Amino acid sequence: MGFLAPAFLAGAALLGLPVYVHLLQQYRQKPVPFSSLMFFERRTQSSIKHRRLKYLLLFALRCAFVALLVLAFARPYIHSKAIARANAGRLVIFAIDNSFSMRQGDRFAKAKQGALDEIAKLGEGDRGQVITFGGPAKLLTDITSDKQALRSAAQAVEAGDDTSSYAELSRVLRSTVESTKGPIEAQVFTDLQKTSWPAAFPDARLDDGTKLIVHAVTDKLIPNWTIENVDAPQRVFDTKKVRTLVTVAGYNTDKATRKVSLLANGKTIETKSIDIDPGSRATVEFLTLDVPYGLTRCEVRLDGGDQFPNDDHWYFSVERADPKPALLVHNDNDPNSPLYFRTAMESANDAAFTLDSRSPSQATNVDLSKFAFVILSDPGPLSQTLEAALEKYVQGGGHVFATVGRNATPGRSVPVANIPVNQIHTISPDNESYQTMAQIDRSYPSFGRAQNWDSVEIFQYVKLQVPDSPDARIAARMANGLPLMVDRKIGEGHVLIFASALDNVANNLPLQPVWLPFLEQTTHEMGGVGSGRGTYKVGSYVDLRTAREKNIPVEVIGEGDKRLLSLSESAKASTFQFPSEGFFNIHRANGREELAAVNADRRESDFTQVAAATVDSWKNTGIAPNPGAGPSSGPENTRNDSAELWWWVLALLAMLAVAESVLGNRHIAAGKEAA
C-alpha cells in the first residue's frame, strides 16, 4: 500500500481536535446566586471527574472522520496481482479512416484488411478498441480482449462521405490515455491526406505514453479533377433568366479540356467544354435551366477522366414557381416611391414578385391573403377597415414593410405595429448636418449583402417610441442613436418599420448601390423566398423546426424513400445531420416541403499527402515515457498493477458524517432534557 500525496498525512495532527471538543470544552461552571457564604466550609474540588471522556462512541466517530479525511487527501492505493495480470498486455486502438477520399481505388479495402491483420496479432492479455474518424470519431467497441468482437467491428465499417480530421483522432487518443491511466498503442489506417491535417500543430499532439503507428494505404500522388462548386438559384421564376456558374478544380493535374454537363431529373440540358490550366480552376456558365414546376433534382457532371469519379458531380436543387403578387399602398401625392420600388424589384435577374400598386382607398376592400407581403409606403392615415384587415393579415403570419415620413401623424401609432410616432424631424442644412446609418445589425436578413451604407444621407425622419420588449428588434440606428429600422413581431407575422420615407426626398437611399440588395433581401425574407439553403455539405446540420413548432411532426426522407427519423425524433428533433451525399426531402412543421442537396466536402478531392517529417513529429509527441519513474513516485510507475482507494474512503466519510450527525443530535437533546 502507498500514497500518492503522503504529505497530507501530516494532517493526522488534527486528531487532537475531537479530544479538545470532548475533554477541555465539556465542563462549564454554572453560577448560582446565594445570599451568604459565611456558613460554607472552603475546600478544594477535584477536577479528575471533569477530565474523564464522555460519549465515547461519538468521540470515536469524530476521530475516525478526521483520520479518513486525512487519508482521502493522501490518496491511498494498493498493489493487486489481479490488476497487474489484467493490464500486463498492450492496449491497442485500431483507428480506421473511412472518409470520402478513402473511396478512391482500393484504399478503404486496404485499410480494413490492415486493421484485421493487426487484430489477429493481438497476444494473450492484449486488449483493443476499434474506432473510425471519417467525420466525428466513433467508438465502435469498448476496450476488450475479445478478438472476435474487434474483427466484427472492423469488418462492419463502411466508407463514408464525410471528412477526416487528425486533430479529432488525436483528441480521442488523448482522452483514452486519460481514462485508462496507462500507455496505449494507436494503429492508424489512413491515406494521410494533407487537407485533414489541422492548421495548428498542437491540435494534433499526443499524450505521453502514446505509441503511434501509421499505416499509409497509398504513397502515390493522384491527379484529380472535381466539380468544386455550383452557384445556382434556389428558386426559378423565369427559366430563360437563370445563370448557373460551375467551378471546376484540378489538383496535381496537367492542362486538360473537360466536358461539363447540366442535368435536371437525370436529363441532360446542356453540355459545354472547359479548358483547365495545370493544378488550377476554371469556370463555365449555363444561361438556361428548363425545369418543371415544383422541386427538381439537378446535377452538374464532369467527364473527369481521372482515378476518382466519386467527386465528378455536384448536386443542387431548384424550385420553380410563378412570381408571387405583392401589394404596395402609397399616398396619392407620392408618385416617386412606387417607381423606385417597382424598378428595383423588376430589375432583379429573376424577379420573384409582381407589384400591385394602390392608394389607401383602393386597397380598402382588397383580399390581403393572396399577397406575399404588403408595403405601406408612407400612406398616411388608413381607414379602420384597412387597418383591421392588415392586423388580421399579420396575426396570421403575413409581413408588412411600413415606411414612415411626412404623411405620418405625430401622436398616432404606425399601422398594426402599435409603435407611436412622437415627432417628424426635417434637417435644416444651415443648422445641422444630415443623418447617416451608424449602427447596423449585420445578422438581420435585410443587411446580409448590403454592406456599404456610408453614402446614405437622411434629411427627414420620424422619432419612434419603440417599446423595450422581446418582440421589438431594432435592426438599424442613425448616428444620433434614434431607431431607423425596427422589426416587431405581431402574432405569427412581422411588421418592419423604416423611420423615413423612401421617395428620394426624405433620403437618398433609392439612388444608392445598396438599395437593390437591401430591397431584394427584405422582400425575399418577407415573401418566404430567402429561407433555406438548398445545398449542404455532408456532416452539416439543418434546422427542422422553430421554437413555436414543438411536438409538430417533421419528416426527413432519404434515398429510396427511407424515413430517417424515428417517431420520437420526428416530434422532438430540432436539427438533422446529413450523413451522406444525395437528395433529402424535408417535410416541415409549417407544411412546406424542401429538397436538400448534399455534397461531400471538396477538400477530400485533394490527394496531396502530409509530409513525412510532419508525421514523424506527430509520432514524437507521444513517445515520452509516463512521468514518475522513480520508486518514490507512488503508483505512477506501477499504475498498471495498482488501484486507488480514495473513492472508497470518501464513501466511508459520507457514512461517518451521517452517523456522527445523528448521534450528536441525540446527545444534545439528552443534555437539554437533563438541564
Side-chain angles (χ1 to χ4, degrees):
M1 183 174 176
F3 299 93
L4 282 175
F8 281 102
L9 293 176
L14 294 175
L15 286 172
L17 185 61
V19 176
Y20 174 80
V21 172
H22 279 257
L23 189 60
L24 299 182
Q25 295 294 313
Q26 64 170 296
Y27 178 67
R28 294 287 185 272
Q29 288 183 336
K30 185 177 179 181
V32 178
F34 205 81
S35 59
S36 175
L37 299 178
M38 62 182 298
F39 297 108
F40 284 82
E41 179 182 354
R42 180 183 297 274
R43 61 179 296 183
T44 302
Q45 184 178 6
S46 174
S47 62
I48 296 177
K49 178 181 179 181
H50 303 304
R51 293 179 184 178
R52 293 176 182 173
L53 288 172
K54 295 182 179 181
Y55 313 126
L56 295 180
L57 180 58
L58 181 61
F59 173 72
L61 287 176
R62 288 174 174 173
C63 289
F65 182 86
V66 173
L68 288 177
L69 185 63
V70 172
L71 198 63
F73 276 96
R75 293 183 63 185
Y77 68 91
I78 60 171
H79 294 287
S80 169
K81 293 183 179 180
I83 296 176
R85 286 194 300 269
N87 295 332
R90 300 175 299 158
L91 173 54
V92 185
I93 307 299
F94 303 96
I96 302 174
D97 183 354
N98 63 333
S99 62
F100 185 63
S101 63
M102 295 292 287
R103 291 180 178 272
Q104 194 280 324
D106 60 352
R107 295 186 178 199
F108 185 65
K110 286 183 177 179
K112 287 181 64 173
Q113 187 58 49
L116 292 172
D117 292 343
E118 292 299 325
I119 291 173
K121 297 178 183 178
L122 288 177
E124 185 71 24
D126 289 344
R127 297 171 298 155
Q129 184 178 39
V130 177
I131 69 173
T132 60
F133 62 102
K138 298 179 180 178
L139 310 182
L140 304 186
T141 67
D142 294 328
I143 296 176
T144 178
S145 58
D146 187 348
K147 286 187 180 181
Q148 184 57 43
L150 297 173
R151 280 195 297 266
S152 299
Q155 290 171 342
V157 177
E158 296 181 355
D161 295 333
D162 212 337
T163 58
S164 59
S165 170
Y166 298 117
E168 172 72 3
L169 172 62
S170 298
R171 182 192 64 79
V172 173
L173 296 179
R174 291 195 300 268
S175 177
T176 304
V177 171
E178 178 65 25
S179 61
T180 59
K181 301 185 182 302
I184 66 171
E185 180 179 307
Q187 302 271 356
V188 181
F189 306 88
T190 180
D191 57 0
L192 284 175
Q193 199 169 27
K194 186 176 181 179
T195 55
S196 300
W197 188 257
F201 184 86
D203 292 340
R205 68 172 179 82
L206 303 172
D207 274 356
D208 294 343
T210 304
K211 181 181 180 182
L212 180 65
I213 302 175
V214 178
H215 302 268
V217 295
T218 182
D219 58 358
K220 296 180 180 179
L221 185 60
I222 298 175
N224 183 42
W225 288 277
T226 181
I227 303 290
E228 188 177 53
N229 187 49
V230 173
D231 184 7
Q234 185 181 348
R235 291 174 177 84
V236 173
F237 301 96
D238 187 347
T239 58
K240 297 180 180 179
K241 293 184 178 181
V242 180
R243 177 177 178 268
T244 304
L245 185 64
V246 180
T247 302
V248 180
Y251 298 102
N252 308 304
T253 55
D254 298 326
K255 185 174 182 178
T257 300
R258 291 286 177 259
K259 290 183 178 181
V260 181
S261 300
L262 177 64
L263 298 87
N265 290 330
K267 179 182 177 181
T268 302
I269 297 177
E270 190 177 0
T271 300
K272 290 186 176 182
S273 296
I274 182 173
D275 295 325
I276 311 172
D277 291 332
S280 183
R281 290 174 173 79
T283 58
V284 60
E285 188 177 51
F286 296 96
L287 298 178
T288 183
L289 185 57
D290 189 9
V291 295
Y293 283 93
L295 296 169
T296 300
R297 302 185 177 203
C298 298
E299 181 183 0
V300 175
R301 290 181 186 172
L302 172 72
D303 66 334
D306 53 35
Q307 301 179 51
F308 190 52
N310 302 67
D311 62 355
D312 293 342
H313 64 263
W314 185 275
Y315 300 125
F316 67 99
S317 64
V318 168
E319 181 181 9
R320 181 180 176 183
D322 289 326
K324 301 178 181 180
L327 177 63
L328 171 66
V329 181
H330 63 94
N331 196 278
D332 290 327
N333 62 5
D334 175 22
N336 292 338
S337 64
L339 175 63
Y340 291 123
F341 276 106
R342 186 182 302 278
T343 303
M345 293 174 65
E346 292 179 351
S347 64
N349 291 332
D350 199 7
F353 307 99
T354 59
L355 198 60
D356 185 354
S357 180
R358 298 171 183 254
S359 66
S361 59
Q362 294 171 333
T364 300
N365 297 317
V366 172
D367 181 10
L368 300 180
S369 62
K370 68 179 183 180
F371 295 104
F373 55 85
V374 176
I375 299 176
L376 301 179
S377 180
D378 192 22
L382 302 178
S383 65
Q384 292 184 352
T385 302
L386 181 55
E387 281 210 42
L390 285 169
E391 184 173 353
K392 181 180 179 181
Y393 173 73
V394 175
Q395 288 282 355
H399 290 72
V400 172
F401 180 34
T403 66
V404 190
R406 64 179 183 274
N407 295 320
T409 303
R412 297 190 61 180
S413 297
V414 178
V416 186
N418 196 27
I419 295 180
V421 176
N422 290 340
Q423 180 186 352
I424 302 175
H425 183 75
T426 303
I427 301 292
S428 176
D430 297 333
N431 300 325
E432 58 181 319
S433 60
Y434 57 81
Q435 288 294 318
T436 59
M437 295 182 64
Q439 302 177 38
I440 299 175
D441 184 354
R442 297 294 183 185
S443 65
Y444 192 75
S446 296
F447 304 110
R449 286 170 42 209
Q451 298 294 325
N452 187 10
W453 290 85
D454 296 339
S455 60
V456 176
E457 301 172 356
I458 303 170
F459 312 105
Q460 187 183 68
Y461 57 88
V462 299
K463 296 182 179 180
L464 301 173
Q465 185 178 332
V466 182
D468 184 12
S469 63
D471 60 7
R473 175 182 180 182
I474 299 177
R477 293 180 184 271
M478 292 177 284
N480 58 11
L482 293 177
L484 180 63
M485 188 163 176
V486 180
D487 183 339
R488 182 156 201 188
K489 183 172 177 58
I490 307 292
E492 297 297 320
H494 289 260
V495 178
L496 282 64
I497 306 167
F498 198 85
S500 183
L502 296 173
D503 55 4
N504 197 35
V505 175
N507 57 74
N508 66 349
L509 176 57
L511 299 183
Q512 300 305 309
V514 296
W515 168 241
L516 292 181
F518 167 73
L519 186 61
E520 181 179 2
Q521 289 180 251
T522 302
T523 55
H524 280 207
E525 187 68 21
M526 292 193 300
V529 176
S531 60
R533 285 168 47 189
T535 303
Y536 300 81
K537 289 182 180 179
V538 175
S540 62
Y541 290 84
V542 60
D543 292 328
L544 296 180
R545 67 180 81 245
T546 64
R548 289 179 172 269
E549 295 172 341
K550 291 183 179 179
N551 299 322
I552 302 178
V554 297
E555 288 290 349
V556 180
I557 301 176
E559 298 293 338
D561 294 332
K562 182 180 179 181
R563 297 181 183 272
L564 302 179
L565 297 178
S566 65
L567 289 177
S568 175
E569 292 171 335
S570 176
K572 297 179 181 179
S574 58
T575 60
F576 174 75
Q577 185 179 25
F578 294 110
S580 62
E581 285 195 317
F583 291 97
F584 297 82
N585 284 93
I586 302 174
H587 301 277
R588 295 191 175 275
N590 59 9
R592 180 171 177 77
E593 181 179 356
E594 295 179 11
L595 181 61
V598 183
N599 298 279
D601 193 324
R602 288 307 187 251
R603 290 179 297 176
E604 290 286 306
S605 298
D606 184 358
F607 292 105
T608 305
Q609 291 185 307
V610 179
T614 303
V615 176
D616 291 339
S617 299
W618 186 24
K619 295 178 181 179
N620 290 337
T621 62
I623 62 174
N626 289 314
S632 62
S633 62
E636 293 296 330
N637 62 322
T638 58
R639 58 184 177 184
N640 285 335
D641 64 345
S642 61
E644 292 190 40
L645 302 177
W646 63 269
W647 60 280
W648 287 102
V649 176
L650 287 181
L652 288 174
L653 273 173
M655 290 188 289
L656 282 177
V658 174
E660 191 275 341
S661 177
V662 173
L663 191 60
N665 288 336
R666 287 183 179 178
H667 287 313
I668 291 174
K672 289 182 178 180
E673 290 178 1

